[in-house]
Amino acid sequence: MKTDGDLIQVRELVKYFPVLAGVLKRKVADIKAVDGVSFDIRNGETLGLVGESGCGKTTVGRCILRLYDITSGQILFEKTGITNLKGEQLRRMRRDMQLIFQDPYASLDPRMTAGDIICEPLLVHNMVKGKEYRAKVAELMKMVELEPRMEDRCPHEFSGGQRQRIGIARALATRPKFIVCDEPVSALDVSIQSQIISLLMRLRQELALTYLFIAHDLSVVRHISDRVAVMYLGKIMEITDSDELYAHPLHPYTRALLSAVPIPDPKIDRERKRILLSGDVPSPLLPPPGCRFHTRCWMAKDICKESLPELRNVGSSHWVACHLV
Amino acid sequence: MARVEAFPVVEETKRRSFLADLLIRLVKEKPLGTIGGIIVLLLLIVGVFAGLMAPYGYNDIYVGPRLSAPSPENLLGCDQLGRDLLSRIIYGARISLIVGLSVSAIAVILSTAIGFVSGYFGGKIDMVIQRFVDAWLSIPPLFLILALIAVAGPGMLQVILVLGILFGIGQSRIVRGAVIGIRANTYLEAATAIGCGTGRILWKHVFPNVTAPIIVLFTITLGAAVLAEATISFLGFGIPPPMPSWGGMLSEAGRRYMLMAPHLALWPGLFLAVVVYGINMLGDAFRDLVDPRLRGGLGRYDRARKMIAKASTNQAGEVMDEQLKNKK
């Protein structure tokens, strides 16, 4: 289902969260959650975004959807800038871009019924008339493999997987073109995870969706993504086709991450070299100068401490931000 | 092998509205609260039908001998002007009811408005509003009431407004706290993400999730308002005579003629105490029912536990039966 053209273009996206202190709530520092990130998402593709917790991947997703006001940079949706949209225009834009949340428990209003939750986007955007309402609810519930007769139940009467399906149906209600999946399966049981992943893949096919798939689980990302971007401390370290990344990881951080993925064969698992990183992720309040990763990189040279490596193309659309590659 | 449900499904629960559910549980689980509820219901009936129930008008003088003791004509006796005490108490119930309900309504609306703005938007707005509320709470309430009444002048409407504003500002704290409590929930962010405006989020997502504390707030304010009205009427700043306020009756007739005709102090005082006690019991019961952490041993959890215990012993029994069969 690939068509040419970029649906989302992110240019030098920066998001700082101010740290406020004192009685007067003066700004004393910035948390540099996202610090200059650029990438494109092509029409119909799924871009996986991986990284440790706190690396800014969720913030990137929220910024694209304009749930956060970005500090600087540009976001283009279908080639038009959406960075400065306000009020009514912003609300109208939300029809085309939706979000699936990580936590299926907190993201559904406990006082609403499943049907009302699913159809609220349609009401908000005046996309449904009184009579069509129930038919629309039933259609959406069937689409995510829920039984339409359960529309009158409240969220607490559903299981985690069912709740996530409600969340997905809500995101699909306005027929968006682009969906940010913010760790949609990490709160679920492994058996449910695969169901939700296949559901998302089926919907992508049927509705010609484009996903930004945020996760920290590399095997999940590999399964669903066409391309994968690896983030570390607010920066993109490596971005390339999914198969290429898993076959030939170039950035030391990516290699360390991949070496931590368990292999279901004890023999291979025992023989391969596990890269163990020392230390913790530095604070995003004061990221290290030069390459963000040099404090934990076993290959770091002097140049890594001094200058910031640019994301550069090393052939066949494989982009890496490392001096040593 | 039969599938074993993690929780035994005993019955399909009927879907009731939140308020109906609250009332049913009140009767089932809170006997003292139910008594309070009955007292409030009686007050409501007496207040509404005062005109039909009272044997005389509240200001009809010389319907019996002055300061007379209870008699068949005047069941609770008469006051210093020969007015029927029972009739005045019945009409007094109406005054308490009107003042109590109006004050609670104003207070709840005001505190909801302040609490929503302060709690939902947070930041500088919250700072400014909360410092104002701090200052307001630091002034002794009685002093504040008397000062405001002195400015507004005597009268029922003035009393209602002054008390409503007083309680409303003070209690905005509770609403604010409740709003902040649900502010962090992702479903509010989800509402933004699907394109809800702020108004819709507040009305459709925040309000339904804080109705529980607001209902409790209303009931508790009701008791406090009835008592406060009696207090300021007793001090002579409240409902002006000849309107029969229980507080006013206590001071005007009760205090002055206490030694000659003690029933003039006894009855208004008793009714006031019983009504306020009833309202407070109801409010307490509502609070317990709404807040699961405060539920007593007779609450819902106890029943649920018994149900589960029963179901699991049944299951254990079946398993044992099966094993016995296999052995044979």
Side-chain angles (χ1 to χ4, degrees), chain A residues 62 91 106 109 111 120 125, chain B residues 187 189 194-195 205 208-209:
Chain A
R62 297 281 205 277
R91 269 182 11 93
D109 187 336
R111 288 245 181 270
E120 199 185 11
H125 295 291
Chain B
Y187 59 81
E189 195 187 5
I194 60 172
H205 297 283
N209 284 292

Side-chain angles (χ1 to χ4, degrees), chain A residues 23 62 67 91 94 97-98 101 106-112 120-121 123-125 152-154 157 170, chain B residues 12-13 15 18 124 127 185-187 189-197 200 204-205 208-209 211-212:
Chain A
V23 190
R62 297 281 205 277
L67 289 171
R91 269 182 11 93
R94 298 205 186 283
M97 304 166 91
Q98 282 293 331
F101 289 87
S107 60
L108 306 179
D109 187 336
R111 288 245 181 270
M112 288 172 85
E120 199 185 11
L123 290 176
V124 169
H125 295 291
D152 285 333
R153 298 201 185 166
C154 287
E157 295 171 88
R170 170 174 64 185
Chain B
E12 184 82 4
T13 45
R15 206 162 301 282
F18 173 71
K124 289 209 171 75
M127 247 291 268
N185 276 310
T186 331
Y187 59 81
E189 195 187 5
T192 315
I194 60 172
C196 293
R200 189 183 169 90
K204 286 275 181 182
H205 297 283
N209 284 292
T211 38

Side-chain angles (χ1 to χ4, degrees), chain B residues 100-167:
Chain B
L101 288 180
S102 321
V103 167
S104 300
I106 293 173
V108 162
I109 292 169
L110 190 66
S111 58
T112 305
I114 298 175
F116 270 39
V117 171
S118 194
Y120 186 78
F121 296 104
K124 289 209 171 75
I125 303 172
D126 183 42
M127 247 291 268
V128 172
I129 292 177
Q130 289 312 309
R131 292 304 76 78
F132 173 75
V133 174
D134 277 343
W136 184 269
L137 288 176
S138 69
I139 306 171
L142 196 57
F143 171 75
L144 211 54
I145 293 170
L146 297 185
L148 287 172
I149 293 277
V151 175
M156 187 148 89
L157 190 67
Q158 284 87 333
V159 169
I160 289 172
L161 284 176
V162 166
L163 288 179
I165 293 170
L166 184 88
F167 286 124

Side-chain angles (χ1 to χ4, degrees), chain B residues 3-294:
Chain B
R3 217 167 121 244
V4 179
E5 296 281 338
F7 283 93
V9 181
V10 175
E11 66 202 86
E12 184 82 4
T13 45
K14 268 176 278 166
R15 206 162 301 282
R16 299 192 210 100
S17 79
F18 173 71
L19 211 60
D21 185 59
L22 194 65
L23 288 178
I24 288 168
R25 281 174 54 212
L26 175 76
V27 175
K28 278 187 180 166
E29 297 171 21
K30 294 281 172 191
L32 211 55
T34 312
I35 294 172
I38 292 168
I39 292 172
V40 172
L41 203 64
L42 286 177
L43 177 76
L44 208 67
I45 293 167
V46 170
V48 171
F49 298 108
L52 299 172
M53 292 170 110
Y56 304 95
Y58 63 83
N59 207 24
D60 295 354
I61 53 173
Y62 300 121
V63 295
R66 292 167 59 184
L67 299 177
S68 62
S71 65
E73 287 80 42
N74 307 101
L75 285 174
L76 296 181
C78 289
D79 69 1
Q80 77 279 19
L81 297 174
R83 295 178 294 194
D84 182 45
L85 192 61
L86 178 65
S87 304
R88 283 179 67 74
I89 282 177
I90 289 175
Y91 277 103
R94 174 182 278 181
I95 302 281
S96 287
L97 192 69
I98 293 173
V99 172
L101 288 180
S102 321
V103 167
S104 300
I106 293 173
V108 162
I109 292 169
L110 190 66
S111 58
T112 305
I114 298 175
F116 270 39
V117 171
S118 194
Y120 186 78
F121 296 104
K124 289 209 171 75
I125 303 172
D126 183 42
M127 247 291 268
V128 172
I129 292 177
Q130 289 312 309
R131 292 304 76 78
F132 173 75
V133 174
D134 277 343
W136 184 269
L137 288 176
S138 69
I139 306 171
L142 196 57
F143 171 75
L144 211 54
I145 293 170
L146 297 185
L148 287 172
I149 293 277
V151 175
M156 187 148 89
L157 190 67
Q158 284 87 333
V159 169
I160 289 172
L161 284 176
V162 166
L163 288 179
I165 293 170
L166 184 88
F167 286 124
I169 292 177
Q171 289 167 346
S172 66
R173 274 289 162 83
I174 297 168
V175 181
R176 171 180 173 264
V179 172
I180 287 176
I182 66 154
R183 178 80 188 88
N185 276 310
T186 331
Y187 59 81
L188 295 180
E189 195 187 5
T192 315
I194 60 172
C196 293
T198 311
R200 189 183 169 90
I201 293 178
L202 285 177
W203 179 241
K204 286 275 181 182
H205 297 283
V206 178
F207 186 71
N209 284 292
V210 296
T211 38
I214 286 178
I215 287 172
V216 173
L217 200 62
F218 185 89
T219 331
I220 289 173
T221 315
L222 194 60
V226 168
L227 204 58
E229 181 272 314
T231 309
I232 53 179
S233 294
F234 182 84
L235 293 174
F237 290 88
I239 313 287
M243 297 264 269
S245 151
W246 290 345
M249 288 158 73
L250 270 176
S251 87
E252 199 186 321
R255 194 166 49 89
R256 219 181 299 164
Y257 303 99
M258 201 179 325
L259 296 178
M260 280 178 277
H263 63 276
L264 289 185
L266 177 70
W267 292 111
L270 193 66
F271 274 93
L272 183 65
V274 168
V275 163
V276 172
Y277 177 79
I279 296 173
N280 285 346
M281 281 304 112
L282 183 67
D284 271 5
F286 275 163
R287 196 196 51 210
D288 289 359
L289 291 174
V290 159
D291 187 346
R293 282 166 304 179
L294 296 173

